Amino acid sequence: MAAVTANTRGIMTDSPGVLERCSRVPAPGSGGKSAETWKRDIVRQLKHRDRSQHAMFQDLIRFYSQLLEKSSLAKGILSCSARCPSSDSSSSLSSLLHQNNQLKQTTGELAYQVVELQQQIKIKECVLVEQHARLLEVERQRAGAFDAQRGLQERVEQVREQNGALKMEYDALLEQQRRAETTLREEKVRGGHLLEDMIHIKQQAAARMNNRNERRSRVREANLQRELQMAARSKVTIDSSSSAPTSRSTSPKTEHKSTERGHARLFRSASATSPRILTSIRELFHRKRRGHSVCSLEEDLMSPAGVCLSARVPVRARQVLEAHEQGINAVRFSSSSDLLATGGTDRVIKLWEVRAGSLTHRATLDGSTEGITCIDFDPAGSRILAASYDKSALLWRLEDSTPKLTLTGHSRKVTAARFSTLLHQVVTGSADRSIRLWDLHRAACVQVAEVASYCSDLVCSENCIISGHYDCKIRVWDTRTVGCVQELPAQGKVTSLDISSDHRQLLSCCRDDCLQLVDLRRRSNERVCFRAEGFKCGSDSTKAVISPDGCFLAAGSADGAVYIWNVSSGHLETRLPDKHSSSISAVSWSLSGEYVVSVDKSRLAVLWSDI
């Protein structure tokens, strides 16, 4: 009862708060609308309190009601027994006492349950307070999150505005770039037209100059011929004192006759029409006409090259040396076979003398700003031509270490450079898909052939240039018309070309690990393919060669071995292994047929021979 009374007292303590809140509402006379508002508010608060407290004390009220019922029942029984005593009063009294004890036990249990429920109520109130505090903390975090969200949204709007401004700038720059690219293309086209016009004007000027020089030379020769004819017709009288003395055994009469005949004899001038004087005069005219040329008369005279009757197949390495500081890309023998040139990525050309089966360093030719890709000797063996990665071709005299001439005009690396069959002309091929013919007298390009594919190598024959390309085609160009007159199919991407000494057979090396030999004498251009187990073309610039007698083919493989085929049988003649540790880049066969030299990417040069 005390607990119930305390709870009831606690419930009643809430009434002053309600009354205090009610005292703060406006008075009823302040207006009908406001009076209805505060009345509804009070009713709502009371209903809320009733619902919350009814749920909280529902079990307590139920137990209290049961206790009251049992107490009233006990009182009724006791009063009934007092009013109606009987014979078995003692037994009924004992039963009543027993019921009373049970009632007390039940009341104690109920009181204990009331205490437990109060403790649970206190615990739930603490949990409710903690949850309320957590709710307040979550509300604060939520408010902070809302503030952060608003800040982020503002930042997103700013970034969107900045992105919009940047996009507008980007669009403006893109439009400017497009206009600039359009202008650049137009300027390139205009520059190409200007270059073509300039080349055409230079060609016309050169033709006019050649015609003028030719007319002058014809006039000078005609004048010289007239002078020589006049000198031949002129007569000179020789005095007797200038004649040779006669023999002592000659009689006076005979001497007198001979003296008279000597006075009357006519002599021609000192053989002015002899071939020796004419040759000297022609050399004089040639020297005057070559006053500003980059070529000399001695360089123009082609020394006869020795004919190799039978090339010897090499069987062993005579010498292995580290020829360059970096990888070697090209190797070439001179026409006399006693001089070898090697060029590599270290930007120099080294000359080696071949003596008694060994290589001796002779000179180093520098001047290129990038690596060397191709080397060629002139027929006289006095000049050397090289192609370079620096978009140029360079010409040296063997006695000079610096270039005598640099040919520039290609827009990408020069992959091939060869002396033409015509005097004072060289041909170059480049990765810019063009082939150029150069005049060494003027150090100028006189013809340009545009190609549809990357030019990897070329060779020169009479009045034609043969070039190999990455589009698996070999093209034949006529130098007189600057046009492609024939296209020969290849088995793969062409890496190198070589032509036999009699210009009858053409050798091509392709990336499909096949050598192809073409007969140029026949219109059908019969082709023979040479393959071998283990042979693999190591790079896009691997060079293969024909022996001087045209009986053998040689090429280096990616496995570091030199493969040699027999042309007549079509089979592999020999394989030279174990000297190169990397892919072989080029092979050269001396014109004497005695030596073969192979070079690789690991700076090694190997001299092979048959002994």
Side-chain angles (χ1 to χ4, degrees):
M1 292 293 294
V4 174
T5 306
N7 289 331
T8 306
R9 191 180 296 113
I11 293 171
M12 295 302 296
T13 55
D14 292 338
S15 299
V18 175
L19 295 175
E20 184 179 356
R21 286 194 297 272
C22 293
S23 63
R24 290 198 296 266
V25 300
S30 60
K33 186 176 181 181
S34 61
E36 293 177 358
T37 302
W38 67 264
K39 288 179 180 180
R40 285 196 299 271
D41 185 43
I42 290 174
V43 171
R44 186 173 60 255
Q45 291 180 7
L46 290 174
K47 288 181 179 180
H48 177 70
R49 187 196 65 176
D50 291 341
R51 284 194 300 271
S52 61
Q53 292 182 358
H54 181 270
M56 187 181 299
F57 296 100
Q58 185 175 5
D59 295 336
L60 182 61
I61 294 170
R62 181 169 53 81
F63 292 143
Y64 181 72
S65 299
Q66 293 176 0
L67 182 60
L68 289 177
E69 291 176 357
K70 290 180 180 180
S71 297
S72 62
L73 180 61
K75 287 180 181 182
I77 293 172
L78 289 176
S79 62
C80 182
S81 62
R83 286 190 306 265
C84 299
S86 62
S87 59
D88 54 352
S89 60
S90 60
S91 59
S92 61
L93 182 61
S94 61
S95 62
L96 288 173
L97 290 173
H98 179 69
Q99 291 177 0
N100 189 17
N101 291 332
Q102 290 181 350
L103 183 61
K104 287 182 181 179
Q105 289 179 358
T106 304
T107 304
E109 291 177 357
L110 291 174
Y112 180 73
Q113 290 179 1
V114 167
V115 172
E116 287 183 349
L117 290 173
Q118 287 179 352
Q119 291 178 355
Q120 292 179 2
I121 288 171
K122 290 181 180 180
I123 292 171
K124 290 182 177 180
E125 287 178 351
C126 295
V127 172
L128 184 61
V129 171
E130 292 179 357
Q131 289 181 351
H132 185 66
R134 290 175 58 187
L135 181 60
L136 294 177
E137 183 66 24
V138 170
E139 288 291 338
R140 285 194 297 270
Q141 292 179 359
R142 180 171 173 270
F146 280 144
D147 295 338
Q149 182 183 6
R150 285 193 296 271
L152 291 175
Q153 287 179 350
E154 293 176 357
R155 179 61 180 167
V156 167
E157 293 297 330
Q158 293 177 0
V159 171
R160 285 179 179 174
E161 293 177 358
Q162 293 177 359
N163 288 340
L166 291 176
K167 187 177 183 302
M168 293 177 62
E169 294 180 1
Y170 172 76
D171 293 338
L173 292 175
L174 185 62
E175 186 64 27
Q176 292 180 2
Q177 181 187 4
R178 290 174 180 172
R179 290 197 297 268
E181 288 179 351
T182 303
T183 305
L184 178 61
R185 286 193 294 268
E186 293 175 354
E187 291 297 328
K188 283 185 177 180
V189 173
R190 182 170 172 270
H193 292 329
L194 291 176
L195 181 61
E196 292 177 357
D197 295 341
M198 183 178 66
I199 293 175
H200 182 65
I201 292 172
K202 285 188 175 182
Q203 289 176 350
Q204 291 179 348
R208 289 194 298 271
M209 184 179 295
N210 291 335
N211 293 332
R212 186 166 56 253
N213 292 336
E214 190 67 26
R215 289 195 300 270
R216 289 178 180 177
S217 64
R218 286 198 297 268
V219 170
R220 289 177 181 175
E221 289 179 0
N223 293 334
L224 180 61
Q225 190 68 24
R226 286 196 299 271
E227 292 177 359
L228 291 176
Q229 291 176 359
M230 291 175 62
R233 287 195 297 269
S234 63
K235 298 180 180 180
V236 179
T237 302
I238 304 299
D239 190 28
S240 60
S241 60
S242 61
S243 62
T246 58
S247 177
R248 291 183 181 179
S249 60
T250 306
S251 61
K253 184 177 180 179
T254 306
E255 183 179 356
H256 178 69
K257 290 181 179 179
S258 63
T259 302
E260 290 179 353
R261 192 181 299 113
H263 282 286
R265 185 178 178 181
L266 300 177
F267 290 89
R268 294 186 181 273
S269 59
S271 300
T273 58
S274 64
R276 183 180 302 174
I277 295 178
L278 290 177
T279 303
S280 301
I281 294 172
R282 289 194 183 94
E283 290 181 358
L284 178 62
F285 276 113
H286 281 297
R287 192 176 298 114
K288 288 182 179 180
R289 292 174 62 184
R290 297 174 188 267
H292 302 285
S293 174
V294 296
C295 305
S296 62
L297 181 63
E298 292 79 5
E299 292 172 343
D300 294 338
L301 296 176
M302 299 174 61
S303 61
V307 178
C308 177
L309 299 178
S310 177
R312 289 175 283 183
V313 178
V315 294
R316 71 182 186 92
R318 295 293 299 271
Q319 186 178 3
V320 180
L321 56 89
E322 191 172 307
H324 286 256
E325 296 180 357
Q326 297 180 17
I328 307 174
N329 300 327
V331 60
R332 195 78 171 182
F333 274 100
S334 66
S335 57
S336 59
S337 301
D338 59 354
L339 192 62
L340 179 74
T342 58
T345 55
D346 55 358
R347 301 176 295 180
V348 298
I349 294 177
K350 291 190 177 182
L351 301 179
W352 309 84
E353 291 184 354
V354 184
R355 293 180 180 177
S358 64
L359 299 176
T360 305
H361 183 258
R362 172 177 171 179
T364 299
L365 309 179
D366 53 11
S368 176
T369 58
E370 294 188 29
I372 303 298
T373 60
C374 180
I375 297 174
D376 192 26
F377 279 95
D378 70 334
S382 59
R383 292 175 293 178
I384 187 169
L385 179 68
S388 173
Y389 278 95
D390 63 1
K391 309 174 186 177
S392 67
L394 300 95
L395 181 69
W396 286 270
R397 284 177 178 164
L398 295 185
E399 61 271 13
D400 297 333
S401 61
T402 56
K404 176 183 177 182
L405 185 64
T406 301
L407 305 176
T408 58
H410 286 287
S411 60
R412 295 181 65 185
K413 68 177 181 179
V414 181
T415 55
R418 304 288 184 187
F419 282 97
S420 174
T421 55
L422 301 177
L423 293 177
H424 326 308
Q425 288 186 353
V426 298
V427 184
T428 58
S430 171
D432 62 1
R433 301 180 179 183
S434 69
I435 298 173
R436 293 176 180 264
L437 182 64
W438 305 82
D439 187 353
L440 296 181
H441 277 314
R442 294 179 291 162
C445 177
V446 295
Q447 291 180 358
V448 180
E450 298 293 338
V451 198
S453 177
Y454 183 109
C455 178
S456 58
D457 199 4
L458 57 85
V459 292
C460 297
S461 184
E462 185 177 0
N463 295 328
C464 71
I465 301 169
I466 306 174
S467 58
H469 302 272
Y470 277 9
D471 61 353
C472 306
K473 290 183 180 180
I474 300 172
R475 293 175 170 85
V476 182
W477 306 83
D478 191 342
T479 57
R480 294 167 294 187
T481 60
V482 198
C484 181
V485 296
Q486 190 177 7
E487 286 188 358
L488 306 177
Q491 299 294 328
K493 184 188 297 182
V494 180
T495 65
S496 72
L497 295 177
D498 192 27
I499 194 167
S500 61
S501 56
D502 56 1
H503 291 191
R504 294 181 178 180
Q505 292 179 320
L506 177 69
L507 174 66
S508 64
C509 179
C510 302
R511 284 292 281 170
D512 65 338
D513 308 327
C514 173
L515 301 185
Q516 180 176 274
L517 192 63
V518 181
D519 191 349
L520 299 177
R521 295 173 296 178
R522 301 181 181 180
R523 293 184 178 180
S524 60
N525 298 128
E526 296 181 359
R527 295 182 295 274
V528 182
C529 294
F530 296 84
R531 298 179 184 270
E533 183 179 358
F535 174 75
K536 184 175 180 60
C537 185
S539 68
D540 291 342
S541 58
T542 300
K543 301 294 189 296
V545 295
I546 306 177
S547 64
D549 59 353
C551 296
F552 302 98
L553 311 178
S557 174
D559 60 0
V562 178
Y563 289 75
I564 299 178
W565 288 266
N566 190 310
V567 174
S568 59
S569 65
H571 300 300
L572 185 67
E573 184 75 18
T574 184
R575 179 178 179 270
L576 307 176
D578 302 334
K579 295 303 178 181
H580 293 279
S581 58
S582 63
S583 175
I584 297 177
S585 55
V587 178
S588 181
W589 206 314
S590 65
L591 294 183
S592 63
E594 185 178 1
Y595 299 108
V596 173
V597 173
S598 58
V599 295
D600 61 20
K601 300 294 184 180
S602 61
R603 303 174 292 180
L604 292 182
V606 182
L607 178 66
W608 306 86
S609 71
D610 62 332
I611 55 173

